[in-house]
Amino acid sequence: MAAARDDMPALPRMQSGGSPQHLLLTLLGDYWYGQRAPLPSAALVALLGEFGITEISARATLSRLARRGLLELSREGRRTSYALSGRAAQVLEDGLRHIVAFGAAQEPWPGWWTVAVFSVPEEQRDLRHALRTRLSWLGFASLFDGVWVCPHDRVAEITAVLSELAIDSATVLRAELVDGSPLGGHPINAWNLDALRDGYVALIDEYSAVRLRMSEGRIGTAEALVARTALMDAWRRFSSLDPDLPATLLPRPWPRARAKALFTELYDGLALLAEQRVKQVVGRYDEDAAALVRGHGSDYAG
């Protein structure tokens, strides 16, 4: 992210571990969603520049996303452009739906857990890593070595993953915790609730200042784009750390609902300003493409 100027207040930063590739996909998902028209490479470089990404790094990012099959390169004379590939469009749709739905009001929890028990030899490390990655994406966490749990019905999804990865030494169960079970083995212990709570509280503390400035009309278009993108990045990480853990399993008070409300207020409230900034940047290179820029709010339904 670009360093703060003297006339610009400190803004939330992108989460550590992010990358220009992820940043660009986030921007395309928020402001170029559903569009298959190409964007000039210079416009994409300039958008990344809003976050302090150098031109060299930005152009390397475009090349890497093209090699990964997420962007499609086209040339017209000396002008180079990139469009979202069909694969990238699907990735963005799935990810967007998952992120904006996260933290919504829950149905009463029936008390059942999905349990995946597996044994993969240590020498098959790549396979173990692939399985654990897929389990995490589905909302599972490791309770014990080779025992992963999820508080939602994921039987169909995890059996499909085991079949796809050709893992036969595994069992999938739907289970209910019995009275008298040792507290140390409670499935909720698979999640670090203290760290999760601290993360929600930190987001609320950090973005409350942004909400105040927004309510006072003191956020411009460039600031709105930076703050809204950083917020999306932060909220996305919670959706991978917390599989909408049932409220009945959590300490009270639990800050997720407050964090969700703040996310929604800011994501929606900054949308028009941020969209205007993207239009301004893209319009320097292609006015027709700038006219296609569209943001969306948290009520996105796919």
Side-chain angles (χ1 to χ4, degrees), residues 12-255:
R13 295 183 174 273
M14 300 293 290
Q15 300 296 300
S16 61
S19 70
Q21 293 181 58
H22 168 70
L23 171 59
L24 183 57
L25 290 175
T26 298
L27 291 168
L28 293 173
D30 273 339
Y31 306 103
W32 201 244
Y33 180 79
Q35 294 289 347
R36 296 299 300 277
L39 280 165
S41 61
L44 296 173
V45 168
L47 276 177
L48 289 173
E50 295 285 294
F51 298 83
I53 306 299
T54 67
E55 180 178 352
I56 292 175
S57 180
R59 293 196 179 279
T61 295
L62 295 175
S63 297
R64 288 169 184 147
L65 288 173
R67 287 197 297 270
R68 291 173 58 191
L70 297 175
L71 293 180
E72 296 175 346
L73 170 68
S74 62
R75 289 189 175 91
E76 184 177 344
R78 299 182 61 183
R79 173 167 158 156
T80 301
S81 300
Y82 289 90
L84 285 170
S85 67
R87 175 188 168 202
Q90 187 62 55
V91 168
L92 291 178
E93 179 178 349
D94 292 344
L96 179 61
R97 184 183 295 110
H98 179 70
I99 294 166
V100 300
F102 170 68
Q106 296 179 331
E107 298 292 330
W109 185 55
W112 290 94
W113 296 83
T114 303
V115 182
V117 184
F118 59 88
S119 176
V120 178
E122 179 63 29
E123 57 269 21
Q124 294 181 291
R125 293 182 180 179
D126 289 347
L127 183 60
R128 287 164 63 94
H129 175 73
L131 176 57
R132 289 170 174 172
T133 299
R134 298 287 290 277
L135 283 165
S136 296
W137 175 250
L138 290 173
F140 285 80
S142 175
L143 181 61
F144 302 115
D145 186 31
V147 179
W148 287 59
V149 294
C150 177
H152 305 296
D153 184 359
R154 297 289 185 269
V155 171
E157 292 90 337
I158 188 55
T159 52
V161 168
L162 292 170
S163 176
E164 178 186 337
L165 297 178
I167 296 175
D168 187 59
S169 54
T171 300
V172 179
L173 307 169
R174 291 188 63 196
E176 182 179 20
L177 190 68
V178 300
D179 291 339
S181 181
L183 293 178
H186 195 294
I188 196 62
N189 293 331
W191 287 268
N192 186 337
L193 297 184
D194 289 338
L196 194 55
R197 179 183 54 225
D198 290 348
Y200 282 125
V201 170
L203 180 140
I204 293 169
D205 290 344
E206 184 173 16
Y207 284 91
S208 290
V210 178
R211 176 170 57 187
L212 176 61
R213 295 189 66 254
M214 182 182 74
S215 69
E216 295 173 343
R218 295 192 291 119
I219 293 184
T221 58
E223 298 171 48
L225 175 61
V226 170
R228 189 173 188 256
T229 304
L231 174 63
M232 171 58 101
D233 185 51
W235 191 247
R236 172 191 63 82
R237 289 173 180 268
F238 283 112
S239 71
S240 63
L241 295 172
D242 174 5
D244 264 334
L245 293 166
T248 187
L249 297 171
L250 301 171
R252 303 292 180 87
W254 187 251

